[in-house]
């Protein structure tokens, strides 16, 4: 494929993608195939001679799409949201074209420096404490990981290295193996399974703290576990607090758990993978209160902030805690600016060596939406839509509602008023409201 054909085929692919996104509502959200469906549909070995682009495009619809689960369908309600936007798709296209492997500043200065700035931009949107930012020669900073699972593992490994170094400095006779067998980490019993996996990979015990009636980890339960484990000769060193659990979006009590972690000299990692995008809205920012006690914080813009997968944002208060755990400097990776203090080499912040130019997606999305546009997307239920829904409800004259204002929000009130009302009436009213709401949203899209 030469440049001329690439221009033509690229435009065709953009049209295909745009048509796919526009028509996704008409596709069956979950594929009707059985395991192994694909192998009989394609040759058992690669072609000796080139296939045509037209044949490949045709096979996408015949072979690939029948087996696709359409995560961006408005009828997809499984797992968790995955972000998507046209600016991010275009940025990914540019990332593929540039094709740099940005493991160090020297490997591609723009790749490193844009990521550092974008993580500061995003940190400011969240009103993170300044200790987590890189600007003005701070000790902290942000990095894009591939997933929240990676972020949790990286934090655990950094915490493990830090506690081993601290204990060996105080007692040089202690071996790493002797310390490792006593290390214990904690999370809520509602935490994601990736936390347990991090413990398995890190070779440390992980204990689940029973959550309260609101499915949150509280100080009292954590303190009981710490007291019991210290009495047994174990070494507590790492706690994961979740803001927005996968099961029910519950929030561990950071304002209780955080001070305990600081007092007990345990690394506190905050996992807000699911709900963290909402914190860019001032009305939701209070849900992040207590992050000032954390050593590391992570959430996934690729879930709810219009940045396509993969883009998991992680911040640390002291980047030396990460680089101290992962730094290796073979001669062929060294460069003259690495110890200048002006830049960072992100290979020391992660498990892999190579990394893509993922910050381009953030740069495109943040600039083309603006903070206000991203906040509006998170809020989504605009006053205009609610006003239109109320108009339809009251015009239909099947039920009658009146609105109210909660600060800036136009809210529809549903009050149980009549002595004779039964649950069947409420259920019928709800179905009626849903039907009219679907009409309003359909009209909005058109």
């Amino acid at each position: 494929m030469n440049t001329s054909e690439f221009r033509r085929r690229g435009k065709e692919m953009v049209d295909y993608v745009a048509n796919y996104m526009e028509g996704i509502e008409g596709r069956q959200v979950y594929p009707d195939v059985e395991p192994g469906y694909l192998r009989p549909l394609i040759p058992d070995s690669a072609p000796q001679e080139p296939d045509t682009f037209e044949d490949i495009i045709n096979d996408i619809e015949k072979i690939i799409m029948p087996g696709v689960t359409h995560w961006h369908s408005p009828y997809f309600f499984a797992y968790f949201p995955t972000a998507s936007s046209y600016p991010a798709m275009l940025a990914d296209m540019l990332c593929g074209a540039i094709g740099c492997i940005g493991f160090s500043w020297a490997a591609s200065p723009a790749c490193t420096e844009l990521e550092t700035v974008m993580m500061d931009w995003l940190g400011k949107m969240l009103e993170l404490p300044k200790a987590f930012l890189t600007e003005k020669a701070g000790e902290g900073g942000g990095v894009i990981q591939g997933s929240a699972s990676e972020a949790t593992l990286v934090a655990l490994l950094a915490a493990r290295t830090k506690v081993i170094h601290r204990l060996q400095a105080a007692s040089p006779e202690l071996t790493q193996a002797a310390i490792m067998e006593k290390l214990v980490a904690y999370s809520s019993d509602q935490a994601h399974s990736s936390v347990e996996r991090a413990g398995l990979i890190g070779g440390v015990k992980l204990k689940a703290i029973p959550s309260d009636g609101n499915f949150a980890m509280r100080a009292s339960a954590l303190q009981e576990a710490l007291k019991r484990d210290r009495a047994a000769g174990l070494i507590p060193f790492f706690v994961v607090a979740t803001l927005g659990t996968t099961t029910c979006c519950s929030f561990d009590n950071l304002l209780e758990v955080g001070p305990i972690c600081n007092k007990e000299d345990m690394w506190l990692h905050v996992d807000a993978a699911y709900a963290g995008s909402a914190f860019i809205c001032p009305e939701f920012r209070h849900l992040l209160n207590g992050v000032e006690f954390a050593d590391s914080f992570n959430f996934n813009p690729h879930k709810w902030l219009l940045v396509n997968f993969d883009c998991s944002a992680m911040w640390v208060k002291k980047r030396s805690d990460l680089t101290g755990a992962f730094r290796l400097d073979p001669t062929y990776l060294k460069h003259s600016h690495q110890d200048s203090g002006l830049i960072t080499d992100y290979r020391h912040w992660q498990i892999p060596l190579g990394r893509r130019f993922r910050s381009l997606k953030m740069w495109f999305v943040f600039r083309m939406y603006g903070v206000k546009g991203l906040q509006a997307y998170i809020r989504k239920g605009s006053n205009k839509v609610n006003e239109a829904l109320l108009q339809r409800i009251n015009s239909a004259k099947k039920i009658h509602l009146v609105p109210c204002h909660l600060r800036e929000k136009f809210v529809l009130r549903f009050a149980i008023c009549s002595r004779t009302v039964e649950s069947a009436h409420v259920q019928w009213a709800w179905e009626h409201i849903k039907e009219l709401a679907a009409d309003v949203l359909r009209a909005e899209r058109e």
Side-chain angles (χ1 to χ4, degrees), residues 136-195:
K136 298 179 182 177
E139 293 185 1
V143 59
I144 301 173
Q145 304 285 2
S147 67
S149 302
E150 289 177 47
T152 301
L153 176 59
V154 164
L156 182 141
L157 295 176
R160 188 188 72 179
T161 299
K162 187 175 182 179
V163 72
I164 289 173
H165 289 172
R166 186 178 75 235
L167 293 175
Q168 287 183 327
S171 303
E173 74 280 2
L174 285 175
T175 65
Q176 180 171 318
I179 296 171
M180 284 274 294
E181 67 181 10
K182 294 184 178 181
L183 292 180
V184 58
Y186 305 88
S187 69
S188 161
D189 58 9
Q190 300 300 309
H192 193 269
S193 59
S194 61
V195 179

Side-chain angles (χ1 to χ4, degrees), residues 100 110 336 355:
C100 62
S336 58
R355 54 204 335 275

Side-chain angles (χ1 to χ4, degrees), residues 101-108 111-112 115 142-145 154 319 322-339 343-356 358:
I101 312 297
F103 47 77
S104 71
W105 180 87
S108 190
C111 182
T112 294
E115 182 164 337
V143 59
I144 301 173
Q145 304 285 2
V154 164
R319 55 183 178 271
L322 291 193
T323 59
F326 300 111
R327 182 163 188 147
L328 289 172
D329 270 325
T331 302
Y332 53 83
L333 294 180
K334 290 182 178 180
H335 59 91
S336 58
H337 296 285
Q338 66 181 37
D339 296 317
I343 52 91
T344 189
D345 286 344
Y346 276 123
R347 71 180 186 273
H348 302 312
W349 296 53
Q350 61 178 23
I351 294 168
L353 172 64
R355 54 204 335 275
R356 299 188 304 117
R358 291 176 290 202

